[in-house]
Amino acid sequence: MTTEHQTLALILFSLFIAVTLGITTWVSRNRHGSAEEFYAGGRLFSPMENGFAIAGDYMSAASFLGISGLIALFGYDGLLYSVGFLVAWLVVLFLVAELVRNCGRFTLADVVAARMSERPVRIAAGTSSVVVSVLYLIAQMVGAGSLVGLLLGNSSPVARTLTVVGVGALMVVYVSFGGMRATTWIQIVKAVLLMGGAITLTVLVLLRFHGNFDQLLTSAADRSGHGRAFLGPGLKYGGGWTARIDFMSLGLALVLGTAGLPHILSRFYTVPTARSARRSVVWAIGLIGGFYLMTIVLGFGAAALVGPDEVRASNASGNTAVPLLAAFLGGGAGTTGGAVLFAFVAAIAFATILAVVAGITLASSASVAHDLYASLKRRHARQRSEVAVARGAAVGIGAVAIALGLLAQDLNVAFLVGLAFAVAASANLPVLLYSLFWRGFTTRGAVWSVYGGLIPAVLLVLVSPVVSGSPESLFPGVDFQYFPLQNPGIVSIPLGFLAGWLGTVTSGEEPDEAKHAETEVRSLTGAGAV
């Protein structure tokens, strides 16, 4: 792009950053520093506001950049991400949203600790939440590096490093000074912008093909170089039984992982009642469902109009397919219309990344302070000191995410998020469901369930093709690959449930029937909820 066009995009970037920093400054002047204000925004948001914020939290760089890129490169096989991300919300709506809001206060560990020994449960759940959050943050950092590298026409390591460090610094500012209230309003602004940008591009793509979706698919298949095979399963996950099992493993992780994501669970505490939490999810499903339908059009549109070869030449993982499509729809490279639309979409994608990293960082810093720190200090520790620890934790988590994001900058962001979902489904979902629905569940079962899912998931990723043994790995020059699947979910999720059951049946602890009855009444009716 020309210097003038780059300047336009940078102006739009700067405008969004200025607006969000303004929101953060305004909120920081009106906060009173309590844990409820910092972690849950005072529980003052309406279902519609929280629904938009949930959608903003969930529709990440993986959705906007990664999924469309995978569809542009692999056609049908890329659709699994869109389907999996959307279907997951049915699990959240029917099994989790209301019950979590009634039983907890700020984090996942609150729900489990309601009927268990607090200290071991909080340490386990807090550790798991931080690991999941850092994995999710890495994906956002990689998306930021790809996007700004394309924008500036400079994908050098220095440019990517500066971008990732800048995003990390901004997310620390948002969380440290604005807490949940600022993060929520940033999510709402971002959700409106993202939906507007996706609708605009979808309409333009369909107009190119006169509203004929069949013609769009045919053109995409013709240009893909794979013919009709582009529209059927097998390009990415059809190389044999290993690839097919990997496909099922990914689908399982996507469908079950959302209900275990810390930054999604924490959003249910920002509304006053469980009924509001359920209505928030309904709002979110409507927005998210419409968005994922549009990613299908954008992915096949990029394949048909830009071409997989050009997408791959720009970014090997396909993360820049949507910005390239925007430039084409605006008139092509070098035109004013193309530059304006490209800059607009790039700014929205950048806003997406900033908003999501703020939400994830807040959830993980809350886990550090409210679960790990609070479990190591005496119970009468002041809430204000806990909030100070959360702000400090945001800095540390940001630094870790920056370092790992630089290491993983050549991987597809949707794929990276798939790994985070697998860990969430393996470590967090089993302990959450057991705590809510199993009368005989014990403290040992809770701790074993978390570690029994978390440790295998992380170890399997370390010895998988993701880390070594192939040209696309993090360390392509070495080979310590012993596990053939890229996504560990199909193994680690059952292990999480099995470990929870095994820990419970081998425990000498008698289940507290009174606490379970109290939790059951509270989860179903809201009586006694905070």
Side-chain angles (χ1 to χ4, degrees), residues 1-2 6 9 13 65 143-156 159-160 163 310-311 313-315 318-327 342 345-346:
M1 297 184 70
T2 65
Q6 292 172 4
F13 279 6
L65 301 177
S146 300
L147 186 68
V148 175
L150 175 66
L151 171 69
L152 300 177
N154 181 2
S155 57
S156 67
R160 287 189 172 193
T163 300
E310 188 172 336
V311 170
S314 172
N315 181 275
N319 293 333
T320 54
V322 172
L324 291 174
L325 175 64
F342 174 92
V345 169

Side-chain angles (χ1 to χ4, degrees), residues 11-184:
I11 289 172
L12 291 175
F13 279 6
S14 303
L15 181 62
F16 178 81
I17 292 171
V19 169
T20 52
L21 287 176
I23 291 172
T24 304
T25 303
W26 170 67
V27 168
S28 65
R29 289 177 178 174
N30 292 279
R31 61 177 170 81
H32 49 77
S34 69
E36 185 169 304
E37 173 69 26
F38 185 79
Y39 295 141
R43 310 190 200 280
L44 299 174
F45 292 98
S46 70
M48 185 181 76
E49 290 169 343
N50 197 42
F52 269 84
I54 290 172
D57 226 346
Y58 195 69
M59 298 184 301
S60 65
S63 305
F64 196 49
L65 301 177
I67 294 177
S68 299
L70 284 173
I71 295 173
L73 296 181
F74 301 107
Y76 180 92
D77 280 6
L79 286 175
L80 177 67
Y81 286 89
S82 291
V83 175
F85 282 144
L86 179 56
V87 171
W89 279 97
L90 298 178
V91 178
V92 176
L93 178 62
F94 291 120
L95 290 180
V96 172
E98 275 189 275
L99 306 183
V100 166
R101 174 61 188 86
N102 282 335
C103 287
R105 189 164 173 238
F106 300 129
T107 64
L108 164 69
D110 289 336
V111 180
V112 184
R115 47 180 293 221
M116 309 290 174
S117 298
E118 281 207 40
R119 186 168 182 173
V121 166
R122 286 195 179 277
I123 291 173
T127 301
S128 171
S129 295
V130 171
V131 172
V132 172
S133 298
V134 169
L135 280 172
Y136 212 114
L137 280 172
I138 293 170
Q140 312 309 316
M141 299 298 191
V142 171
S146 300
L147 186 68
V148 175
L150 175 66
L151 171 69
L152 300 177
N154 181 2
S155 57
S156 67
V158 174
R160 287 189 172 193
T161 300
L162 292 176
T163 300
V164 170
V165 171
V167 170
L170 282 169
M171 78 182 184
V172 170
V173 170
Y174 293 148
V175 172
S176 300
F177 292 96
M180 178 59 85
R181 191 169 299 197
T183 300
T184 299

Side-chain angles (χ1 to χ4, degrees), residues 88 154 169 179 195 228-229 308 333 356-357 359 377 400 420 472:
N154 181 2
M195 290 299 292
R228 300 296 294 182
V356 171
V357 297
K377 280 194 65 85
V400 172
E472 296 81 22

